[in-house]
Amino acid sequence: EPEVTQTPSHQVTQMGQEVILRCVPISNHLYFYWYRQILGQKVEFLVSFYNNEISEKSEIFDDQFSVERPDGSNFTLKIRSTKLEDSAMYFCASNLAGPRTGELFFGEGSRLTVL
Amino acid sequence: GNSVTQMEGPVTLSEEAFLTINCTYTATGYPSLFWYVQYPGEGLQLLLKATKADDKGSNKGFEATYRKETTSFHLEKGSVQVSDSAVYFCALTLGNTDKLIFGTGTRLQVFP
């Protein structure tokens, strides 16, 4: 069964360093998303991406964040200068029919620890 | 603003017990409501959904009814199994946005 895969599963970084989290969405999907969950808090929407551009972003997704689909398979989230409060589990998701259906396919998550 | 509130976990049950996980929401407009489940080592996956008031979503023995009058979408199962041990997330979406709004998740532990 096709699935969304994410790498790395866990990354530890120093404050101020750049981090790239990678995702391979399901191959025929058209809509891509990043969510995050800070420990003990809610899963929060970061950004949605469709047709090679951001379609919506949250207030969390400020200038230090960027997303890219560099080729036909990968979807990346870059954090330019990490802060302690960026420590969280980051989830990539994709779907075929768009966000209104609510049926997103999620990866297992990448845990980011900023020291 | 729009939000989802779930009961605190963990919920600990014996096999074959009845399960209820409470979920209430606040939303402007008419949301669609969802339950997602995350099994250990896996990503979140859609368990069931309901798109309008009084709809009942069901899957794998789980049910939830969209109650507009109480702004609730409680998850129920008549007889849980050890394999149901997971984290359950209630969520909503509105027609004017791309995002799913999630609750904090409720961990369910079922013991034999």
Side-chain angles (χ1 to χ4, degrees), chain A residues 36-99:
Chain A
R36 77 172 186 188
Q37 186 178 30
I38 295 170
L39 188 63
Q41 298 186 23
K42 298 184 178 185
V43 176
E44 302 172 292
F45 170 81
L46 291 178
V47 66
S48 57
F49 190 88
Y50 170 70
N51 201 25
N52 284 319
E53 60 183 25
I54 290 173
S55 48
E56 185 174 341
K57 60 183 181 179
S58 72
E59 59 276 8
I60 302 168
F61 195 89
D62 61 21
D63 290 345
Q64 69 158 343
F65 290 93
S66 62
V67 289
E68 193 177 33
R69 189 156 162 81
D71 53 41
S73 60
N74 289 286
F75 179 52
T76 61
L77 174 70
K78 181 190 291 186
I79 309 173
R80 285 193 186 80
S81 178
T82 50
K83 305 175 196 153
L84 295 176
E85 55 265 36
D86 294 328
S87 295
M89 181 73 88
Y90 289 81
F91 294 103
C92 174
S94 69
N95 72 350
L96 179 60

Side-chain angles (χ1 to χ4, degrees), chain A residues 33 35 37 40-45 48-49 55-56 58-59 89 91 99-109, chain B residues 3-5 32 34 36 38 41-46 49 89 93-105:
Chain A
Y33 313 84
Y35 284 75
Q37 186 178 30
Q41 298 186 23
K42 298 184 178 185
V43 176
E44 302 172 292
F45 170 81
S48 57
F49 190 88
S55 48
E56 185 174 341
S58 72
E59 59 276 8
M89 181 73 88
F91 294 103
R100 306 292 188 261
T101 67
E103 182 164 6
L104 274 56
F105 294 80
F106 284 84
E108 294 177 27
Chain B
S3 66
V4 174
T5 302
S32 295
F34 308 88
Y36 274 78
Q38 186 179 29
E42 299 183 16
L44 284 77
Q45 53 188 274
L46 181 66
K49 70 177 185 180
F89 294 89
T93 189
L94 290 159
N96 60 351
T97 177
D98 287 359
K99 61 184 174 185
L100 277 171
I101 297 170
F102 284 92
T104 50

